[in-house]
Amino acid sequence: MGNIMDIKMAENILRIRFSQIIINERYKNNEFKIPIHLALGHEAIAASIDAIMDENDVLVLHHRNIHYNLARAKTLKAQLDEYYLKKEGLAKGQLGSMNLANEAENIVYTSSILGNNLAVASGLALGKKVRGSKGVVVVTTGDGAIEEGSFYENLLFLKSNELPALILIENNEWSLATHIKERRCTINIDKFAQSVDAKYEKLSGNDSFKYVERLIELKELALLNKTPVCVEVELTTLGSWYMKKKGYPNGKFINYHAGPAPTINLSEGPVIKESNEDPVYVLKTYFEEEKFTEISDKVLMLLEEKIR
Amino acid sequence: MTYYELINQIIRKKVFETKTIVLFGQNIDAGSCLSGLTRNLKVQENSLIINTPNSENSLCGIGFGLMLSNVASVFFMKQQDFLLLGIDHLVNTFNFIRLKKPSASFTIMNIVVDSGYEGPQSCLNNLADFCSISRTPGFTITNKIDAEQIINSQLVSPGFRIISVSQRLANKDVIETEKIFSRSDDTLFKYTEGNDATIVCFNFTFPQGQELYKKLKNKNINSSLFSVNTPLPIDWNEIIQDVKKTGNIVIIDDSKSSNLSCDNLLVEVMRECKLSNEIVVKRKLDDSLLVPNPDTLIIDYEGIIGKLTASMKQKLCR
């Protein structure tokens, strides 16, 4: 690894990771009035989407959007200011976290309501068709939101009207404190997509370099065939911890959903988990230790300089 | 010409004049085309007419997505009840969109099934509730004057609004009348000027209000006739000034909402005016509305005439 595009990808992933850890440090100090959903562990897909988007593509986000906003804007300062609800913020302090959009970076709509953004994405795709504009609509959602009827409605609408779109389903298996197995039967998204003759692809492993290659192909496929493509992304939201509780000798598992992640600390560096569940760990395997440290230190230094 | 034929004619002209527009909804270009409301719609090149799947929640959001794409759209809806499925978008999506102050237009035009005998469902007549929950501009159409003004100025103008039309009036001859004035924001219309009583119609009650006006006129009682074509409270000044002159107000509202702006008007009028009569005709919201019934707002015309006649006599004696 050493070409400029690879370095840029690495910098983006590390920027998203460090930015979130810095936000988390301030969150732990009770500096924010607004609720923030960190997306530690979601960096690979965010950086990959940023890498494949061109000026004609638009991105429509859901409540856990911090990673996409950081990936697109490539600045922590404006996002922090937004979280502090300052006029200098990314959205002039008007949107906060769960609705944060950034038109300048083609993030045109973000919803805090599960499944809500899918319909707006359909409207945007229809708008592109009517206006004859190029590009694809990329809409993010999760394993919780696909339980909403709007997921079906919009897959149906997009397919019926020959509208290209990438529907990214971030599957972290959790809806707040409830695991999939605790709340529902399995949804075979592949078969679900097949039922309306839409395409399906699963991405796993948190490898941005591989994700980008495949996402470029899927984007082309969506545009060429004028079809929605469901892309299920297997990932883990890092930041879980074990709470001391009577009856739980090893502590009770607490899945990270929102708010500060108490066990994540800036002093421990960018890698949170030494496994493929951590996109930064996966990224690190592509680089010599020294080179990785050099990129990592540089990214952190620049971030800290800008927010000082 | 019937009420729907007229509305259809105005819509067809307006949408065809619009350069880029998407008209969508279930069966809008098939079958009866929503009882004729959307019959023979034509659009220019680069515009679309879409018979959509039955996905009302998403269809509301799609209109907002089109707005963000700077494309005007109208979502025609066969009955107001269906809009219940879209409330998330009417509130949450619109809250985001309105911060952006988009230049495109999105209108939901729904039919209020007020023709009766529908039973416990499918008979929603509650525009005020939709508009109130989302602070959305809303309009009702009752006659030729307001149809022309509201559709021409609102249907494809920047922003979002809901326009409701009545199924009860669908095949009736459209009321052709003359107006004295109307507000430029299409919320208030005044049709007659009189010194004896002020009649204020809400929702779809203009026909009843006009009927009352005529009956009073036959008894030499001259009344001012207003129609409030929006369900949210407005500045009531013109009406209050009129009531100060007449001393009698008759309010008619056939909405099934408990959230009535006519109550707001009444409070203002009672605070500002010396009244001989305040007569309010509105629905009794009880379980009788839940079973198939004619869904007619009962107006005791003779009783109202009697009260106003007595009041006129007292005035003469003074």
Side-chain angles (χ1 to χ4, degrees), chain B residues 183-220:
Chain B
R183 289 231 185 114
S184 59
D185 62 3
D186 312 319
T187 56
L188 182 66
F189 292 72
K190 185 174 186 181
Y191 295 95
T192 65
E193 183 77 52
N195 291 323
D196 304 327
T198 306
I199 304 169
V200 189
C201 309
F202 286 81
N203 207 43
F204 294 111
T205 61
F206 179 74
Q208 292 97 321
Q210 194 188 43
E211 180 69 15
L212 177 62
Y213 163 82
K214 286 176 185 170
K215 287 180 187 292
L216 290 172
K217 184 90 178 161
N218 287 340
K219 300 282 181 185
N220 290 322

mmCIF file of all heavy atoms in Angstrom, chain B residues 183-220:
data_model
loop_
_atom_site.group_PDB
_atom_site.id
_atom_site.type_symbol
_atom_site.label_atom_id
_atom_site.label_comp_id
_atom_site.label_asym_id
_atom_site.label_seq_id
_atom_site.Cartn_x
_atom_site.Cartn_y
_atom_site.Cartn_z
ATOM 1 N N ARG B 183 -58.839 37.281 0.645
ATOM 2 C CA ARG B 183 -57.452 37.521 1.067
ATOM 3 C C ARG B 183 -56.498 36.968 0.005
ATOM 4 O O ARG B 183 -56.779 35.941 -0.609
ATOM 5 C CB ARG B 183 -57.172 36.828 2.391
ATOM 6 C CG ARG B 183 -57.868 37.471 3.557
ATOM 7 C CD ARG B 183 -56.859 37.739 4.682
ATOM 8 N NE ARG B 183 -57.580 38.256 5.831
ATOM 9 C CZ ARG B 183 -57.689 37.597 6.979
ATOM 10 N NH1 ARG B 183 -57.097 36.417 7.126
ATOM 11 N NH2 ARG B 183 -58.345 38.112 7.987
ATOM 12 N N SER B 184 -55.370 37.628 -0.132
ATOM 13 C CA SER B 184 -54.409 37.179 -1.145
ATOM 14 C C SER B 184 -53.811 35.818 -0.780
ATOM 15 O O SER B 184 -53.305 35.107 -1.638
ATOM 16 C CB SER B 184 -53.302 38.208 -1.324
ATOM 17 O OG SER B 184 -52.649 38.400 -0.084
ATOM 18 N N ASP B 185 -53.883 35.441 0.507
ATOM 19 C CA ASP B 185 -53.362 34.122 0.877
ATOM 20 C C ASP B 185 -54.455 33.043 0.786
ATOM 21 O O ASP B 185 -54.259 31.914 1.234
ATOM 22 C CB ASP B 185 -52.746 34.151 2.284
ATOM 23 C CG ASP B 185 -53.766 34.497 3.366
ATOM 24 O OD1 ASP B 185 -54.964 34.655 3.041
ATOM 25 O OD2 ASP B 185 -53.363 34.601 4.541
ATOM 26 N N ASP B 186 -55.587 33.404 0.219
ATOM 27 C CA ASP B 186 -56.680 32.459 -0.088
ATOM 28 C C ASP B 186 -57.331 31.837 1.147
ATOM 29 O O ASP B 186 -57.957 30.774 1.048
ATOM 30 C CB ASP B 186 -56.179 31.326 -1.008
ATOM 31 C CG ASP B 186 -55.403 31.844 -2.193
ATOM 32 O OD1 ASP B 186 -55.831 32.858 -2.760
ATOM 33 O OD2 ASP B 186 -54.356 31.257 -2.519
ATOM 34 N N THR B 187 -57.215 32.481 2.281
ATOM 35 C CA THR B 187 -57.768 31.896 3.495
ATOM 36 C C THR B 187 -59.191 32.367 3.786
ATOM 37 O O THR B 187 -59.947 31.674 4.467
ATOM 38 C CB THR B 187 -56.890 32.221 4.722
ATOM 39 O OG1 THR B 187 -56.758 33.650 4.825
ATOM 40 C CG2 THR B 187 -55.517 31.586 4.594
ATOM 41 N N LEU B 188 -59.522 33.559 3.316
ATOM 42 C CA LEU B 188 -60.824 34.138 3.675
ATOM 43 C C LEU B 188 -61.475 34.788 2.458
ATOM 44 O O LEU B 188 -60.828 35.556 1.739
ATOM 45 C CB LEU B 188 -60.633 35.184 4.781
ATOM 46 C CG LEU B 188 -61.900 35.858 5.313
ATOM 47 C CD1 LEU B 188 -62.788 34.855 6.045
ATOM 48 C CD2 LEU B 188 -61.556 37.013 6.245
ATOM 49 N N PHE B 189 -62.760 34.462 2.261
ATOM 50 C CA PHE B 189 -63.524 35.020 1.145
ATOM 51 C C PHE B 189 -64.788 35.674 1.721
ATOM 52 O O PHE B 189 -65.411 35.118 2.621
ATOM 53 C CB PHE B 189 -63.939 33.932 0.157
ATOM 54 C CG PHE B 189 -62.782 33.312 -0.602
ATOM 55 C CD1 PHE B 189 -61.879 32.462 0.030
ATOM 56 C CD2 PHE B 189 -62.608 33.573 -1.953
ATOM 57 C CE1 PHE B 189 -60.824 31.896 -0.664
ATOM 58 C CE2 PHE B 189 -61.554 33.007 -2.659
ATOM 59 C CZ PHE B 189 -60.661 32.173 -2.017
ATOM 60 N N LYS B 190 -65.136 36.830 1.173
ATOM 61 C CA LYS B 190 -66.400 37.465 1.574
ATOM 62 C C LYS B 190 -67.265 37.611 0.326
ATOM 63 O O LYS B 190 -66.817 38.121 -0.698
ATOM 64 C CB LYS B 190 -66.143 38.843 2.190
ATOM 65 C CG LYS B 190 -67.406 39.504 2.738
ATOM 66 C CD LYS B 190 -67.103 40.804 3.472
ATOM 67 C CE LYS B 190 -68.353 41.362 4.129
ATOM 68 N NZ LYS B 190 -68.070 42.635 4.831
ATOM 69 N N TYR B 191 -68.543 37.166 0.445
ATOM 70 C CA TYR B 191 -69.384 37.098 -0.746
ATOM 71 C C TYR B 191 -70.524 38.117 -0.743
ATOM 72 O O TYR B 191 -70.982 38.522 -1.803
ATOM 73 C CB TYR B 191 -69.956 35.691 -0.891
ATOM 74 C CG TYR B 191 -68.870 34.663 -1.156
ATOM 75 C CD1 TYR B 191 -68.312 33.926 -0.126
ATOM 76 C CD2 TYR B 191 -68.388 34.467 -2.444
ATOM 77 C CE1 TYR B 191 -67.309 32.996 -0.361
ATOM 78 C CE2 TYR B 191 -67.375 33.545 -2.688
ATOM 79 C CZ TYR B 191 -66.834 32.812 -1.643
ATOM 80 O OH TYR B 191 -65.828 31.920 -1.885
ATOM 81 N N THR B 192 -71.023 38.449 0.455
ATOM 82 C CA THR B 192 -72.115 39.435 0.495
ATOM 83 C C THR B 192 -71.884 40.389 1.658
ATOM 84 O O THR B 192 -71.124 40.093 2.577
ATOM 85 C CB THR B 192 -73.498 38.759 0.701
ATOM 86 O OG1 THR B 192 -73.514 38.144 1.996
ATOM 87 C CG2 THR B 192 -73.804 37.739 -0.377
ATOM 88 N N GLU B 193 -72.565 41.508 1.579
ATOM 89 C CA GLU B 193 -72.442 42.526 2.631
ATOM 90 C C GLU B 193 -73.842 42.778 3.193
ATOM 91 O O GLU B 193 -74.782 43.012 2.429
ATOM 92 C CB GLU B 193 -71.890 43.818 2.007
ATOM 93 C CG GLU B 193 -71.644 44.950 2.974
ATOM 94 C CD GLU B 193 -70.368 44.750 3.783
ATOM 95 O OE1 GLU B 193 -69.314 44.514 3.167
ATOM 96 O OE2 GLU B 193 -70.451 44.824 5.016
ATOM 97 N N GLY B 194 -74.007 42.695 4.484
ATOM 98 C CA GLY B 194 -75.311 42.971 5.077
ATOM 99 C C GLY B 194 -75.137 43.593 6.448
ATOM 100 O O GLY B 194 -74.068 43.486 7.054
ATOM 101 N N ASN B 195 -76.187 44.230 6.923
ATOM 102 C CA ASN B 195 -76.097 44.929 8.206
ATOM 103 C C ASN B 195 -76.729 44.183 9.372
ATOM 104 O O ASN B 195 -76.661 44.633 10.510
ATOM 105 C CB ASN B 195 -76.765 46.316 8.097
ATOM 106 C CG ASN B 195 -75.965 47.231 7.205
ATOM 107 O OD1 ASN B 195 -74.738 47.198 7.210
ATOM 108 N ND2 ASN B 195 -76.676 48.043 6.411
ATOM 109 N N ASP B 196 -77.388 43.047 9.058
ATOM 110 C CA ASP B 196 -78.181 42.409 10.101
ATOM 111 C C ASP B 196 -77.528 41.167 10.722
ATOM 112 O O ASP B 196 -77.772 40.870 11.885
ATOM 113 C CB ASP B 196 -79.552 41.997 9.525
ATOM 114 C CG ASP B 196 -80.269 43.189 8.911
ATOM 115 O OD1 ASP B 196 -80.095 44.311 9.436
ATOM 116 O OD2 ASP B 196 -80.971 43.009 7.899
ATOM 117 N N ALA B 197 -76.773 40.440 9.963
ATOM 118 C CA ALA B 197 -76.161 39.216 10.499
ATOM 119 C C ALA B 197 -74.864 38.921 9.753
ATOM 120 O O ALA B 197 -74.672 39.350 8.609
ATOM 121 C CB ALA B 197 -77.110 38.031 10.372
ATOM 122 N N THR B 198 -73.991 38.206 10.422
ATOM 123 C CA THR B 198 -72.724 37.779 9.808
ATOM 124 C C THR B 198 -72.718 36.252 9.792
ATOM 125 O O THR B 198 -72.786 35.620 10.850
ATOM 126 C CB THR B 198 -71.527 38.288 10.641
ATOM 127 O OG1 THR B 198 -71.646 39.700 10.803
ATOM 128 C CG2 THR B 198 -70.199 37.947 9.956
ATOM 129 N N ILE B 199 -72.669 35.692 8.599
ATOM 130 C CA ILE B 199 -72.612 34.223 8.471
ATOM 131 C C ILE B 199 -71.178 33.847 8.117
ATOM 132 O O ILE B 199 -70.594 34.399 7.182
ATOM 133 C CB ILE B 199 -73.562 33.724 7.350
ATOM 134 C CG1 ILE B 199 -74.998 34.204 7.600
ATOM 135 C CG2 ILE B 199 -73.504 32.194 7.238
ATOM 136 C CD1 ILE B 199 -75.925 33.982 6.405
ATOM 137 N N VAL B 200 -70.609 32.928 8.887
ATOM 138 C CA VAL B 200 -69.229 32.505 8.613
ATOM 139 C C VAL B 200 -69.221 30.993 8.389
ATOM 140 O O VAL B 200 -69.575 30.221 9.287
ATOM 141 C CB VAL B 200 -68.275 32.877 9.768
ATOM 142 C CG1 VAL B 200 -66.827 32.631 9.338
ATOM 143 C CG2 VAL B 200 -68.461 34.319 10.204
ATOM 144 N N CYS B 201 -68.812 30.587 7.184
ATOM 145 C CA CYS B 201 -68.801 29.164 6.813
ATOM 146 C C CYS B 201 -67.382 28.620 6.929
ATOM 147 O O CYS B 201 -66.428 29.254 6.471
ATOM 148 C CB CYS B 201 -69.260 28.992 5.363
ATOM 149 S SG CYS B 201 -70.802 29.826 5.013
ATOM 150 N N PHE B 202 -67.278 27.452 7.518
ATOM 151 C CA PHE B 202 -65.987 26.770 7.622
ATOM 152 C C PHE B 202 -66.059 25.443 6.877
ATOM 153 O O PHE B 202 -67.127 24.876 6.685
ATOM 154 C CB PHE B 202 -65.639 26.509 9.091
ATOM 155 C CG PHE B 202 -65.206 27.745 9.846
ATOM 156 C CD1 PHE B 202 -66.151 28.639 10.348
ATOM 157 C CD2 PHE B 202 -63.859 28.016 10.048
ATOM 158 C CE1 PHE B 202 -65.757 29.764 11.042
ATOM 159 C CE2 PHE B 202 -63.457 29.146 10.741
ATOM 160 C CZ PHE B 202 -64.404 30.024 11.243
ATOM 161 N N ASN B 203 -64.872 24.959 6.523
ATOM 162 C CA ASN B 203 -64.734 23.652 5.865
ATOM 163 C C ASN B 203 -65.549 23.661 4.559
ATOM 164 O O ASN B 203 -65.265 24.482 3.694
ATOM 165 C CB ASN B 203 -65.146 22.539 6.836
ATOM 166 C CG ASN B 203 -64.462 21.214 6.553
ATOM 167 O OD1 ASN B 203 -63.250 21.195 6.284
ATOM 168 N ND2 ASN B 203 -65.184 20.122 6.590
ATOM 169 N N PHE B 204 -66.534 22.782 4.421
ATOM 170 C CA PHE B 204 -67.263 22.706 3.146
ATOM 171 C C PHE B 204 -68.681 23.258 3.269
ATOM 172 O O PHE B 204 -69.571 22.852 2.523
ATOM 173 C CB PHE B 204 -67.324 21.243 2.679
ATOM 174 C CG PHE B 204 -65.992 20.679 2.329
ATOM 175 C CD1 PHE B 204 -65.407 19.695 3.110
ATOM 176 C CD2 PHE B 204 -65.288 21.139 1.221
ATOM 177 C CE1 PHE B 204 -64.166 19.174 2.796
ATOM 178 C CE2 PHE B 204 -64.039 20.627 0.893
ATOM 179 C CZ PHE B 204 -63.475 19.649 1.681
ATOM 180 N N THR B 205 -68.926 24.163 4.188
ATOM 181 C CA THR B 205 -70.314 24.563 4.463
ATOM 182 C C THR B 205 -70.773 25.797 3.677
ATOM 183 O O THR B 205 -71.850 26.326 3.968
ATOM 184 C CB THR B 205 -70.519 24.838 5.972
ATOM 185 O OG1 THR B 205 -69.656 25.909 6.362
ATOM 186 C CG2 THR B 205 -70.250 23.602 6.805
ATOM 187 N N PHE B 206 -69.999 26.206 2.689
ATOM 188 C CA PHE B 206 -70.461 27.385 1.948
ATOM 189 C C PHE B 206 -71.858 27.189 1.355
ATOM 190 O O PHE B 206 -72.688 28.113 1.414
ATOM 191 C CB PHE B 206 -69.455 27.774 0.846
ATOM 192 C CG PHE B 206 -69.899 28.953 0.062
ATOM 193 C CD1 PHE B 206 -69.848 30.228 0.620
ATOM 194 C CD2 PHE B 206 -70.439 28.818 -1.213
ATOM 195 C CE1 PHE B 206 -70.304 31.334 -0.100
ATOM 196 C CE2 PHE B 206 -70.894 29.907 -1.927
ATOM 197 C CZ PHE B 206 -70.822 31.168 -1.370
ATOM 198 N N PRO B 207 -72.177 25.996 0.790
ATOM 199 C CA PRO B 207 -73.541 25.833 0.244
ATOM 200 C C PRO B 207 -74.625 26.067 1.305
ATOM 201 O O PRO B 207 -75.634 26.721 1.031
ATOM 202 C CB PRO B 207 -73.549 24.372 -0.252
ATOM 203 C CG PRO B 207 -72.120 24.070 -0.539
ATOM 204 C CD PRO B 207 -71.342 24.811 0.508
ATOM 205 N N GLN B 208 -74.408 25.545 2.506
ATOM 206 C CA GLN B 208 -75.392 25.759 3.571
ATOM 207 C C GLN B 208 -75.445 27.229 3.984
ATOM 208 O O GLN B 208 -76.507 27.778 4.259
ATOM 209 C CB GLN B 208 -75.055 24.896 4.796
ATOM 210 C CG GLN B 208 -75.217 23.402 4.580
ATOM 211 C CD GLN B 208 -73.914 22.724 4.228
ATOM 212 O OE1 GLN B 208 -73.091 23.268 3.488
ATOM 213 N NE2 GLN B 208 -73.705 21.519 4.753
ATOM 214 N N GLY B 209 -74.282 27.851 4.032
ATOM 215 C CA GLY B 209 -74.232 29.267 4.399
ATOM 216 C C GLY B 209 -74.949 30.125 3.381
ATOM 217 O O GLY B 209 -75.695 31.053 3.733
ATOM 218 N N GLN B 210 -74.749 29.780 2.115
ATOM 219 C CA GLN B 210 -75.431 30.546 1.064
ATOM 220 C C GLN B 210 -76.944 30.326 1.122
ATOM 221 O O GLN B 210 -77.721 31.265 0.910
ATOM 222 C CB GLN B 210 -74.878 30.137 -0.310
ATOM 223 C CG GLN B 210 -75.277 31.107 -1.393
ATOM 224 C CD GLN B 210 -74.909 30.613 -2.773
ATOM 225 O OE1 GLN B 210 -75.102 29.433 -3.096
ATOM 226 N NE2 GLN B 210 -74.387 31.503 -3.594
ATOM 227 N N GLU B 211 -77.335 29.084 1.424
ATOM 228 C CA GLU B 211 -78.758 28.780 1.569
ATOM 229 C C GLU B 211 -79.375 29.608 2.702
ATOM 230 O O GLU B 211 -80.460 30.174 2.563
ATOM 231 C CB GLU B 211 -78.912 27.275 1.863
ATOM 232 C CG GLU B 211 -80.318 26.767 2.037
ATOM 233 C CD GLU B 211 -81.127 26.785 0.746
ATOM 234 O OE1 GLU B 211 -80.508 26.922 -0.334
ATOM 235 O OE2 GLU B 211 -82.367 26.696 0.823
ATOM 236 N N LEU B 212 -78.639 29.683 3.804
ATOM 237 C CA LEU B 212 -79.124 30.474 4.936
ATOM 238 C C LEU B 212 -79.226 31.953 4.545
ATOM 239 O O LEU B 212 -80.208 32.630 4.870
ATOM 240 C CB LEU B 212 -78.176 30.305 6.139
ATOM 241 C CG LEU B 212 -78.525 31.125 7.372
ATOM 242 C CD1 LEU B 212 -79.894 30.736 7.944
ATOM 243 C CD2 LEU B 212 -77.447 30.975 8.459
ATOM 244 N N TYR B 213 -78.216 32.422 3.829
ATOM 245 C CA TYR B 213 -78.220 33.819 3.377
ATOM 246 C C TYR B 213 -79.501 34.108 2.574
ATOM 247 O O TYR B 213 -80.171 35.126 2.783
ATOM 248 C CB TYR B 213 -76.964 34.090 2.528
ATOM 249 C CG TYR B 213 -77.059 35.332 1.700
ATOM 250 C CD1 TYR B 213 -76.795 36.582 2.255
ATOM 251 C CD2 TYR B 213 -77.427 35.274 0.349
ATOM 252 C CE1 TYR B 213 -76.905 37.737 1.496
ATOM 253 C CE2 TYR B 213 -77.541 36.407 -0.419
ATOM 254 C CZ TYR B 213 -77.279 37.648 0.154
ATOM 255 O OH TYR B 213 -77.404 38.783 -0.591
ATOM 256 N N LYS B 214 -79.816 33.171 1.673
ATOM 257 C CA LYS B 214 -80.997 33.380 0.809
ATOM 258 C C LYS B 214 -82.292 33.357 1.623
ATOM 259 O O LYS B 214 -83.189 34.179 1.409
ATOM 260 C CB LYS B 214 -81.045 32.293 -0.274
ATOM 261 C CG LYS B 214 -80.012 32.486 -1.365
ATOM 262 C CD LYS B 214 -80.059 31.310 -2.350
ATOM 263 C CE LYS B 214 -78.945 31.424 -3.378
ATOM 264 N NZ LYS B 214 -78.817 30.185 -4.177
ATOM 265 N N LYS B 215 -82.355 32.415 2.549
ATOM 266 C CA LYS B 215 -83.561 32.321 3.373
ATOM 267 C C LYS B 215 -83.729 33.580 4.231
ATOM 268 O O LYS B 215 -84.843 34.068 4.422
ATOM 269 C CB LYS B 215 -83.507 31.079 4.273
ATOM 270 C CG LYS B 215 -83.724 29.766 3.518
ATOM 271 C CD LYS B 215 -83.662 28.580 4.465
ATOM 272 C CE LYS B 215 -83.703 27.250 3.752
ATOM 273 N NZ LYS B 215 -84.980 26.950 3.116
ATOM 274 N N LEU B 216 -82.638 34.083 4.753
ATOM 275 C CA LEU B 216 -82.703 35.314 5.565
ATOM 276 C C LEU B 216 -83.100 36.501 4.699
ATOM 277 O O LEU B 216 -83.898 37.359 5.107
ATOM 278 C CB LEU B 216 -81.349 35.572 6.223
ATOM 279 C CG LEU B 216 -80.935 34.612 7.343
ATOM 280 C CD1 LEU B 216 -79.483 34.866 7.765
ATOM 281 C CD2 LEU B 216 -81.843 34.767 8.557
ATOM 282 N N LYS B 217 -82.558 36.526 3.497
ATOM 283 C CA LYS B 217 -82.863 37.623 2.565
ATOM 284 C C LYS B 217 -84.369 37.668 2.287
ATOM 285 O O LYS B 217 -84.967 38.752 2.214
ATOM 286 C CB LYS B 217 -82.078 37.370 1.265
ATOM 287 C CG LYS B 217 -82.198 38.435 0.215
ATOM 288 C CD LYS B 217 -81.128 39.486 0.384
ATOM 289 C CE LYS B 217 -81.236 40.537 -0.715
ATOM 290 N NZ LYS B 217 -80.542 41.761 -0.343
ATOM 291 N N ASN B 218 -84.966 36.458 2.155
ATOM 292 C CA ASN B 218 -86.414 36.394 1.920
ATOM 293 C C ASN B 218 -87.211 36.966 3.086
ATOM 294 O O ASN B 218 -88.370 37.336 2.935
ATOM 295 C CB ASN B 218 -86.854 34.941 1.684
ATOM 296 C CG ASN B 218 -86.403 34.452 0.331
ATOM 297 O OD1 ASN B 218 -86.110 35.263 -0.551
ATOM 298 N ND2 ASN B 218 -86.323 33.136 0.162
ATOM 299 N N LYS B 219 -86.579 36.998 4.255
ATOM 300 C CA LYS B 219 -87.231 37.557 5.442
ATOM 301 C C LYS B 219 -86.756 38.983 5.704
ATOM 302 O O LYS B 219 -86.871 39.504 6.818
ATOM 303 C CB LYS B 219 -86.913 36.695 6.683
ATOM 304 C CG LYS B 219 -87.370 35.261 6.572
ATOM 305 C CD LYS B 219 -88.861 35.133 6.808
ATOM 306 C CE LYS B 219 -89.287 33.677 6.711
ATOM 307 N NZ LYS B 219 -90.750 33.517 6.806
ATOM 308 N N ASN B 220 -86.148 39.575 4.692
ATOM 309 C CA ASN B 220 -85.615 40.951 4.796
ATOM 310 C C ASN B 220 -84.515 41.089 5.836
ATOM 311 O O ASN B 220 -84.344 42.132 6.462
ATOM 312 C CB ASN B 220 -86.729 41.947 5.083
ATOM 313 C CG ASN B 220 -87.620 42.110 3.865
ATOM 314 O OD1 ASN B 220 -87.113 42.117 2.731
ATOM 315 N ND2 ASN B 220 -88.910 42.187 4.098
#
